[in-house]
Amino acid sequence: MKIVRALAGTAIVAAGLSGAANYGLGAWLHADWPGTPLRSETFETRGFPFGLGFDATGIALRDGRREATLTAAEVRAPVWDPLALTIRPRLPATLSDGTLSATLNAGTASGELAFGYGLPDLPLRRAAGRVEQAQIALASAPDMPFTAASAEAALARQPAGDYAAHLRLSDIALPEGAADRLLPGADLGDRIASVSADATVGFAHPPALHGPHPELARVHLATLSIDWGGRGLSASGDLSADAAGLAEGQIALTTRDWQSWFDVARRAGLLGRGEHLVESLLRSMAEASPDGSVSIPVSFHKGRMSVGPVPTGYMLRLAQRQ
């Protein structure tokens, strides 16, 4: 009987804590108190007494300068970790960061947000999302959607404070003409077979639920692979942002399709007056390679790019410093 009473008492306490947490979380989301990082227009708690959760509409996340919004979603969290949220948006969903708005539709879509318990900021522990058969349409161009067979991304805090980043995309179709608007004249085409990347990234201000907007400070690119229009390319290396947010460091680009990628860069005007020297260098490297592949360093100093020893004049900004 003592065991039964103990179990019953534990269940009652757990139910009470769950109900209180559900009510408190819902009240916090529904309130529009100054400085509240999360809010919602409506909410309905779910999971009581064994879990935490709510269905909400008009969800907004503030980061101090901007506000990201989501039309509606189911949100769940375990009782023992109420800041580890699983999010299933109600589709189609409209997402906005205050300046850019888009509508997401998909076969399936889910996300995770987990925050630490360090007050007052609540630092980000993990963020992840996955969609299948996705279609994203910008509000400014609703008839020109992006599509992908699958897409997944994750950001997870490491013990040293930086974040492990992971990205996988497959069978991407850009809106007609989007690639040419991105790199005019490059003739890349609007279909990308796959993109994958694994990296470690650091921020000037670590991402947090209630903190300043994070700005990229450094990137260790373990691997990046892309297959775009039958052209394969991989990259690895390290970049950091200087005081002005411009890139410093070096990336190694490796490909067997060097002539195709060279033509893309030349048509897009990325190589400047050094294009003939770059082509000669790539051809020499390919002829000396057993399989015809080349691996060439691309360096950035004060944001300006050099391909091998040849400066191109192209500039890369990693962060928009205030």
Side-chain angles (χ1 to χ4, degrees):
M1 290 298 294
K2 289 182 178 180
I3 294 176
V4 173
R5 290 194 190 100
L7 290 173
T10 301
I12 291 170
V13 171
L17 290 174
S18 174
N22 248 332
Y23 175 80
L25 183 60
W28 180 51
L29 284 161
H30 196 49
D32 196 16
W33 302 321
T36 304
L38 273 172
R39 67 174 175 81
S40 71
E41 293 175 0
T42 67
F43 71 93
E44 183 178 354
T45 58
R46 300 286 187 190
F48 176 82
F50 302 111
L52 306 176
F54 56 90
D55 295 346
T57 64
I59 302 168
L61 174 63
R62 297 165 172 159
D63 70 0
R65 286 191 317 180
R66 292 185 293 185
E67 183 175 274
T69 62
L70 175 64
T71 45
E74 300 174 4
V75 182
R76 303 289 182 266
V79 175
W80 58 90
D81 195 359
L83 292 182
L85 309 177
T86 298
I87 303 165
R88 296 190 181 279
R90 194 175 302 161
L91 300 172
T94 300
L95 306 94
S96 172
D97 69 352
T99 57
L100 189 67
S101 180
T103 298
L104 167 68
N105 211 341
T108 60
S110 62
E112 299 173 38
L113 277 175
F115 298 96
Y117 294 90
L119 297 175
D121 288 346
L122 301 179
L124 179 69
R125 283 185 285 158
R126 174 176 169 80
R130 179 176 179 82
V131 294
E132 299 284 346
Q133 302 303 320
Q135 183 181 84
I136 300 175
L138 298 177
S140 57
D143 297 327
M144 300 179 66
F146 298 77
T147 66
S150 66
E152 62 179 63
L155 196 65
R157 188 180 176 96
Q158 303 299 289
D162 285 350
Y163 288 79
H166 163 86
L167 175 69
R168 296 287 185 276
L169 305 170
S170 68
D171 193 15
I172 308 141
L174 305 178
E176 185 177 354
D180 195 52
R181 288 191 293 274
L182 179 66
L183 286 175
D187 194 24
L188 274 168
D190 293 325
R191 297 198 71 89
I192 305 172
S194 64
V195 177
S196 63
D198 289 286
T200 303
V201 297
F203 298 91
H205 304 286
L209 179 60
H210 191 39
H213 186 72
E215 293 184 336
L216 194 62
R218 56 195 168 273
V219 178
H220 167 65
L221 185 60
T223 178
L224 167 67
S225 299
I226 184 169
D227 182 341
W228 193 334
R231 311 174 188 92
L233 181 71
S234 62
S236 62
D238 294 273
L239 294 176
S240 61
D242 66 12
L246 298 175
E248 291 281 338
Q250 188 176 96
I251 298 291
L253 299 180
T254 303
T255 181
R256 292 185 181 182
D257 304 310
W258 71 268
Q259 185 68 64
S260 292
W261 284 112
F262 170 80
D263 290 340
V264 166
R266 176 182 55 79
R267 288 193 296 264
L270 299 180
L271 301 177
R273 296 179 179 178
E275 67 178 54
H276 298 299
L277 290 175
V278 172
E279 184 176 24
S280 296
L281 176 63
L282 293 173
R283 180 171 286 108
S284 297
M285 294 175 69
E287 289 173 351
S289 170
D291 61 358
S293 65
V294 302
S295 182
I296 189 166
V298 178
S299 304
F300 296 88
H301 179 58
K302 295 184 178 179
R304 297 194 178 276
M305 183 175 77
S306 296
V307 179
V310 183
T312 67
Y314 178 73
M315 184 172 284
L316 177 65
R317 181 176 293 278
L318 285 186
Q320 190 66 48
R321 298 291 191 228
Q322 296 302 303

